[in-house]
Amino acid sequence: MDSIHIRGGNALFGETKIQGSKNAVLPILAAALLIEDVCVLENCPRISDVHHMLMLLERIGCRVARSDRTITVDARNVSEDTVSGENVTGMRSSIMLLGAMLGRVGEITMAYPGGCVIGERPIDLHLSALGRMGVKIYEDEGCFTAKAQKLEGSVISLPISSVGVTENVILAAVRAKGVTVLQNAAKEPEIGALCEFLREAGAVIEGIGGSVLIIQGGHELHGVRFRIPADRIVAGTYLMGVLGAGGHIFLEDAPVAQMQSTLRAAELAGAEINVSRDGLSVMIDVEKRAVPMIKTEVYPGFPTDMQSLLMAALTTAPGVSVIEETVFENRFRIVEQLRKMGACIELQGKRQAVIVGVDLLLGCEVTADELRGGAALVIAGCMAEGETIVKNRHFIERGYEDICRDFQNLGVNIYTG
Ligand code: EPZ
């Protein structure tokens, strides 16, 4: 069965180590394509999105080896310029191969990456930004070919601080002729990790961490050994688990500096947070409380990926909480499943959810249809009286190495079905 079973209703106690970041390792794997050498990546999460990305890299001609959480990518013989098949339409991160393949071989043909239930996930801004660098797009029945005789550095100003577009421009710009200035760049920590990786490989990038990046193209790139940073959203998931169910946990390796807005939200809801050198101690020993308004925003604002996780935790917070989703147009799908468990949530249009705290959630069978919503249902299962069965575990496995193992470490009665 493709499910997770949770017998909830007890507080969380214990500690668990936070895995490497999905949204950092995926663009860095794409960046390894740019380097005609061997790269070694440590602390890579064992998740299905990484498995798919490795399959894509091998299709393109990379030699890939994996030993536990260390991945070696040898991109010296990259040849094919076509990435196709279900691997591409099945996930978003394949779009990141666009910039890397243009930087490496000057051309790529791929299917339009599938959208997902949280939003249409268009790629118009990717194509227009790369167009500024001399990339031409040829469309053909669900596929497109992007080609650049010679990538040219350019001044590019993004209408929205898109994470993926920022990553694709960086990946193309490091091998372009001349300097690229990217304005209104996304500032998510995963962008910083990508830039640090490329800098260690010999790229010249200024403004890392800010909204204006200056990339000097054409510098020789060499192989590097690089450690993938811990996953701030996975750490935030377990933080919301203890906010929801109560207790006292320790999250080893939690990237606290990247979680400030998430920690603030948890403290507003009653969490007592203590930061130590190697992680994060969180406890809920006072009455959890509603949060009058939380709005998702680009970094360093409250992350959209944390939205459904916080919502689950607030379903039993006394009072009225309001969450506003400003990044994706369809990211409240989980509301219907939480209502099945007894949550009282009203939607105001597609962008605002009003959560009225109830005394108790009751376990039942619920269905995940995307990654973070699925994790939110697991949190709700930890909180609920009785047994919860979360169906479609495979969505959760896209981003979590082993959510059952981690919650078992925190004392939850949980197992895969
Ligand atoms: C990245 O997606 C993350 N994925 C997402 O995490 C995360 O939710 C998102 O950034 C926002 O932080 C990875 O890093 C693999 P965007 P991305 O481009 O790059 C619109 C998870 O749970 N847009 O910043 O696709 C878009 O529709 C996943 O780990 C266009 O309109 O996000 C959205 O409304 C979910 N046209 C907004 O921009 C475009 O060409 C922000 O999206 C591109 C984006």
Side-chain angles (χ1 to χ4, degrees), residues 269 287-291 313-321 355-358 383:
E287 181 65 12
K288 184 171 55 181
R289 51 182 181 265
V291 178
L314 291 177
T315 53
T316 58
V320 179
S321 304
I355 305 132
V356 180
V358 296
M383 298 161 62

Side-chain angles (χ1 to χ4, degrees), residues 238-384:
Y238 304 132
L239 165 62
M240 293 304 163
V242 73
L243 183 65
H248 185 179
I249 63 172
F250 180 73
L251 302 177
E252 188 186 341
D253 267 1
V256 174
Q258 301 173 7
M259 299 174 67
Q260 293 308 303
S261 55
T262 298
L263 298 181
R264 259 196 311 280
E267 286 175 331
L268 283 174
E272 188 183 318
I273 308 264
N274 290 300
V275 174
S276 70
R277 188 177 46 76
D278 53 358
L280 185 63
S281 167
V282 190
M283 73 167 89
I284 306 291
D285 62 1
V286 293
E287 181 65 12
K288 184 171 55 181
R289 51 182 181 265
V291 178
M293 167 56 88
I294 280 276
K295 219 167 144 181
T296 66
E297 291 169 311
V298 296
Y299 194 87
F302 183 74
T304 175
D305 292 349
M306 286 299 308
Q307 181 258 103
S308 49
L309 305 165
L310 174 65
M311 180 186 286
L314 291 177
T315 53
T316 58
V320 179
S321 304
V322 178
I323 295 181
E324 193 170 325
E325 170 59 57
T326 69
V327 178
F328 287 105
E329 69 273 21
N330 198 22
R331 207 164 195 177
F332 284 140
R333 299 176 57 83
I334 207 64
V335 166
E336 185 195 329
Q337 300 300 312
L338 292 173
R339 282 178 183 150
K340 284 170 71 176
M341 300 176 74
C344 177
I345 306 172
E346 282 309 310
L347 292 181
Q348 319 265 331
K350 297 193 100 177
R351 296 283 186 171
Q352 201 166 78
V354 179
I355 305 132
V356 180
V358 296
D359 293 340
L360 203 57
L361 294 183
L362 297 176
C364 68
E365 186 171 287
V366 288
T367 304
D369 66 1
E370 47 91 10
L371 166 57
R372 304 301 174 187
L377 291 175
V378 175
I379 289 174
C382 294
M383 298 161 62

Side-chain angles (χ1 to χ4, degrees), residues 22-23 121-125 160 162-164 305 327-328 372:
K22 164 177 94 79
N23 292 350
R121 313 293 293 274
I123 62 168
D124 56 325
L125 301 182
I160 51 174
S162 156
V163 171
D305 292 349
V327 178
F328 287 105
R372 304 301 174 187

Side-chain angles (χ1 to χ4, degrees), residues 30-50:
L33 262 183
L34 295 168
I35 302 170
E36 297 177 47
D37 201 344
V38 178
C39 291
V40 179
L41 304 177
E42 296 171 342
N43 196 37
C44 298
R46 294 178 302 213
I47 55 178
S48 57
D49 269 12
V50 167

Side-chain angles (χ1 to χ4, degrees), residues 48-66:
S48 57
D49 269 12
V50 167
H51 170 71
H52 280 299
M53 181 60 102
L54 296 182
M55 287 172 73
L56 287 176
L57 293 180
E58 286 183 312
R59 286 176 69 88
I60 296 170
C62 292
R63 289 177 57 206
V64 169
R66 149 155 254 170

Side-chain angles (χ1 to χ4, degrees), residues 92-121:
R92 290 288 308 158
S93 33
S94 49
I95 190 67
M96 236 160 284
L97 290 173
L98 187 54
M101 284 294 278
L102 287 166
R104 180 66 190 267
V105 295
E107 179 177 338
I108 177 170
T109 298
M110 62 192 296
Y112 278 97
C116 70
V117 292
I118 67 173
E120 192 218 328
R121 313 293 293 274

